[in-house]
Amino acid sequence: MKVKELEIEKTGMVLKLLGDKTRLSMVKLLENNECCVCEFVEIFHISQSAISQHLRKLRDVGLVKENRRGQWIFYSLNTSSEMYELVLNVLAFVPDQNSHLKELEKQGLRINCSI
């Protein structure tokens, strides 16, 4: 099996972005889920603008993609990114974060910004 070579600059940028624990946790959540900014605000207890900045950085390098539904934007991991395999390999070492979403569901806050 041939290993895909990635551009060193872009790989370094992706790894640097994933070096932030909030972004790393966000990407781990997006590995198997689609999430809205409002959910991340509840999970991480930081402002909507801070969450949006994290997501913008991840989107700008192609790690996440947006799906607009009405006035809301939902984020997911970009499986067509050239960095997808690298990200999956990193995420294999990151503890599961789905308990955060289960807690939101229990509180009735899971995807509370639906149309």
Side-chain angles (χ1 to χ4, degrees):
M1 181 165 103
K2 184 172 177 359
V3 176
K4 181 179 176 182
E5 280 190 32
L6 301 172
E7 185 181 316
I8 193 78
E9 290 295 323
K10 191 162 185 182
T11 302
M13 185 184 314
V14 166
L15 292 173
K16 186 175 180 180
L17 285 172
L18 295 178
D20 177 272
K21 75 175 192 170
T22 300
R23 283 192 291 269
L24 184 60
S25 296
M26 292 169 85
V27 171
K28 184 65 175 182
L29 283 163
L30 294 175
E31 180 180 25
N32 296 307
N33 303 283
E34 191 174 64
C35 295
C36 180
V37 170
C38 61
E39 294 171 314
F40 287 133
V41 168
E42 290 294 325
I43 290 168
F44 296 107
H45 305 288
I46 58 178
S47 70
Q48 179 272 330
S49 61
I51 292 293
S52 293
Q53 286 299 315
H54 284 303
L55 288 167
R56 180 191 55 77
K57 289 176 182 181
L58 295 169
R59 188 194 66 229
D60 286 352
V61 297
L63 295 184
V64 299
K65 60 184 180 178
E66 303 174 343
N67 178 15
R68 182 173 287 278
R69 293 188 207 144
Q71 65 180 345
W72 306 109
I73 299 174
F74 292 83
Y75 293 86
S76 59
L77 204 53
N78 183 3
T79 59
S80 62
S81 168
E82 66 181 335
M83 296 290 164
Y84 181 67
E85 191 175 330
L86 170 69
V87 170
L88 286 183
N89 283 311
V90 170
L91 293 179
F93 295 93
V94 177
D96 184 74
Q97 301 294 303
N98 288 328
S99 62
H100 296 295
L101 293 176
K102 289 178 182 153
E103 185 59 34
L104 284 183
E105 284 175 18
K106 223 190 305 186
Q107 297 172 17
L109 297 173
R110 179 79 168 110
I111 309 191
N112 65 349
C113 55
S114 57
I115 301 169

